Amino acid sequence: TLSNLASRKGAEPALVDRGFVSERDPRLRSGILAARPPEGVGLPSLARALAERGVGCSTPDGRLRFAPHWPNALSEVPRVIEALDASLP
């Protein structure tokens, strides 16, 4: 499900491992994942670098936001994390 893409089975643990602070409420089901970046990470440049690697995201209110939709699958999470690692300073 979409909530799995954001949850403990998806991208959230990898973001937290990299110093991001998740704002996802585990009591609520949503495919959207928003996280505050660690200090020193510029969101505009991170979003551009992710886009260059084929990963869509947005950066509202100082958060990195992923909003997967029905065609996305858990099997795509490793590619997102690889792109994130290649894009972080």
Side-chain angles (χ1 to χ4, degrees):
T1 66
L2 290 176
S3 62
N4 283 339
L5 288 168
S7 74
R8 59 180 168 29
K9 297 177 185 176
E12 184 178 34
L15 285 171
V16 171
D17 287 349
R18 288 153 180 81
F20 287 80
V21 177
S22 173
E23 296 186 341
R24 190 177 134 321
D25 184 339
R27 298 170 297 165
L28 304 174
R29 292 176 49 111
S30 174
I32 295 172
L33 174 60
R36 289 190 321 264
E39 188 142 343
V41 173
L43 286 180
S45 58
L46 177 58
R48 279 192 302 275
L50 287 169
E52 290 169 1
R53 291 170 173 82
V55 175
C57 66
S58 61
T59 57
D61 302 323
R63 278 110 176 122
L64 181 64
R65 180 180 181 264
F66 295 103
H69 294 284
W70 64 268
N72 296 115
L74 277 172
S75 61
E76 295 177 272
V77 172
R79 188 174 70 82
V80 171
I81 301 310
E82 287 173 14
L84 180 67
D85 286 341
S87 301
L88 286 170

